[in-house]
Amino acid sequence: MWDQRAQRARLLAERYQASREILVFYGGLASWQGRIAARDLDSMKCFFPSLLELVIRTGPADLADAARKLDSTQFDQIVHNYWDAPGVFSELEFFARALLQPYASSFPEGLDCPWCRQPPQVGCLHPQGDGLAFTIVCPLCLRRRAFPRTRCPGCDESSEKKLANYSTPEFPHLRLQACDTCRGYLMIVDLSSDPAAIPEVDELAGLPLDLWAIQEGFHKLQPNLAGI
Ligand SMILES: [Zn+2]
Ligand SMILES: [Zn+2]
């Protein structure tokens, strides 16, 4: 799956100039995550230096700066803070998530990770029978679970009048669900429009939609690895 994510990111980077930089970076990161998958937490400590090196070499300037200030001795603090206090924002969140995603995604079916009950990274519509089924994607383990289509995953608002969908011809398989009650928004990837899409990757390509929503006064329910 990590290789598929990396390939998808590289393909989208060719397609969408505006989000090219972050997609190329994510492609390299997903390949790296694939190499460290299926290990326990303690044995992942030895991969921390290679993550810092990757970010310094290929990451956006602010992340590269943060990586230069970190060293292996901070692994426990960064990783355990993120694991033990889900939902609390930290500027080092990127490093914890990059390291922990391969670990959490290998959990057996039915065992939640600490972030499964937090607001989702992205939503996903996929064909089922004659209609579309809706799932939401956990920001850490990246597993999908069913969720009511017409409810805000940020505040549980379900009034049709309060929830609006926005889309643009530039991204035919992406849309935003924005909630007037909590002013949060969720990116939704429609697999009926592009069956090859991978929600947590295609969501990164929708950067121009994010910027529009933020300009309109909404906030993303869950920032992605790019911090948006
Ligand atoms: Zn999870
Ligand atoms: Zn809401």
Side-chain angles (χ1 to χ4, degrees), residues 87-144:
V88 177
F89 177 78
S90 144
E91 58 177 358
L92 301 177
E93 184 167 318
F94 166 84
F95 298 95
R97 285 168 78 179
L99 275 162
L100 290 173
Q101 278 180 342
Y103 169 65
S105 64
S106 66
F107 278 15
E109 198 72 37
L111 180 63
D112 280 359
C113 89
W115 283 74
C116 278
R117 298 295 152 180
Q118 294 296 317
Q121 184 70 77
V122 56
C124 174
L125 285 166
H126 55 96
Q128 191 176 71
D130 292 335
L132 289 172
F134 184 59
T135 51
I136 52 175
V137 180
C138 170
L140 182 59
C141 67
L142 301 175
R143 292 176 298 179
R144 300 176 198 173

Side-chain angles (χ1 to χ4, degrees), residues 7 14 16 22 24 35 43-44 46 63 71-72 77 81 90 92 103-104 138 167 203 212:
Q7 277 172 23
E14 297 299 315
Y16 300 112
I22 193 63
V24 169
R35 291 196 291 276
S43 60
M44 291 185 30
C46 61
L63 272 185
D71 65 67
S72 304
Q77 182 204 345
N81 281 353
S90 144
L92 301 177
Y103 169 65
C138 170
S167 60
E203 185 264 338
W212 173 83

